Amino acid sequence: MTVQSVLPYLEETKSKDILHLLDLGTGTSRFPSELSKHLKDNFNLFCFDYVKECLQFQRSSIFRSDFRDASNPFARIMFVCGDAESLPFKADTMNIIFDKGTTDSLLKDKIKGKERTHSVLSEAFRVLCPNGKLLQFTDEDPDVRIPLLEESCRNWNISISYKILSSESIEYFMYTAVKK
């Protein structure tokens, strides 16, 4: 469901330049390997995680999934280990950032979770290029998530929207924060 939800955003973001995508907290989901199957344009997909084993898993998973695009020599998938509170990317470089639970995971820490979440989101907005999009997937209600996003992006001009992604048992939301 997640990959199908982001495909329209990839289509509208297409350009003649290379598309820069960041999977923030890539973990062990199938998202990067599934996404790579749908990317047809020049792209750099950065799988970013704090845990090296997650990146090793992704590397083996993606290359087992027949990611071989000889017709597109500019399509690259890179694996970057680091701290999301200090992203190793230049400002205004990413077209789309995917957050499929990183924020949710940070918020579970009752002592420093909110502070760390603001730090991570601030870094995400820093590396988003103008008109870049942060796409968050969560089961958190808009009454809670939207104020969190607004508070985290107060240093940037950001518009926030959401849509409901239904599942069989849990209501999921996809939040879109666009950097102006």
Side-chain angles (χ1 to χ4, degrees):
M1 171 184 355
T2 305
V3 169
Q4 294 302 320
S5 302
V6 305
L7 292 179
Y9 294 91
L10 294 171
E11 283 297 316
E12 73 183 34
T13 308
K14 276 185 179 180
S15 70
K16 294 178 182 170
D17 296 325
I18 294 174
L19 193 62
H20 298 280
L21 310 171
L22 173 60
D23 186 14
L24 186 63
T26 194
T28 58
S29 77
R30 293 181 30 214
F31 179 78
S33 62
E34 292 299 315
L35 181 64
S36 67
K37 294 175 186 177
H38 294 279
L39 293 169
K40 294 181 174 72
D41 292 322
N42 297 341
F43 69 90
N44 287 326
L45 172 59
F46 297 91
C47 295
F48 184 88
D49 207 286
Y50 187 73
V51 179
K52 288 180 184 179
E53 290 79 10
C54 290
L55 296 171
Q56 291 168 345
F57 172 86
Q58 289 297 356
R59 184 178 288 115
S60 65
S61 175
I62 287 169
F63 291 107
R64 260 197 319 262
S65 73
D66 295 330
F67 175 72
R68 305 280 188 276
D69 194 349
S71 67
N72 189 356
F74 297 107
R76 298 187 308 168
I77 300 175
M78 289 154 280
F79 305 90
V80 182
C81 190
D83 185 347
E85 291 182 80
S86 181
L87 292 171
F89 305 105
K90 292 181 182 177
D92 303 324
T93 56
M94 296 295 164
N95 300 101
I96 301 177
I97 298 175
F98 307 103
D99 174 358
K100 309 166 320 303
T102 299
T103 298
D104 293 339
S105 178
L106 289 169
L107 288 170
K108 291 181 194 248
D109 178 349
K110 299 298 180 199
I111 298 169
K112 290 191 174 187
K114 196 167 184 183
E115 176 186 327
R116 292 189 66 214
T117 297
H118 287 308
S119 179
V120 167
L121 291 174
S122 181
E123 273 293 277
F125 294 129
R126 179 186 67 79
V127 303
L128 272 177
C129 64
N131 296 312
K133 297 170 182 70
L134 169 68
L135 303 178
Q136 282 193 338
F137 299 87
T138 181
D139 62 353
E140 190 168 65
D141 190 82
D143 293 341
V144 177
R145 183 55 56 113
I146 289 177
L148 175 76
L149 288 168
E150 289 172 338
E151 189 177 334
S152 296
C153 69
R154 64 182 149 206
N155 294 330
W156 289 273
N157 185 6
I158 305 282
S159 66
I160 300 168
S161 61
Y162 73 93
K163 67 182 191 177
I164 299 171
L165 305 175
S166 299
S167 84
E168 293 175 17
S169 58
I170 298 175
E171 190 172 60
Y172 283 97
F173 301 90
M174 182 175 78
Y175 295 89
T176 304
V178 180
K179 182 177 177 182
K180 307 266 176 158

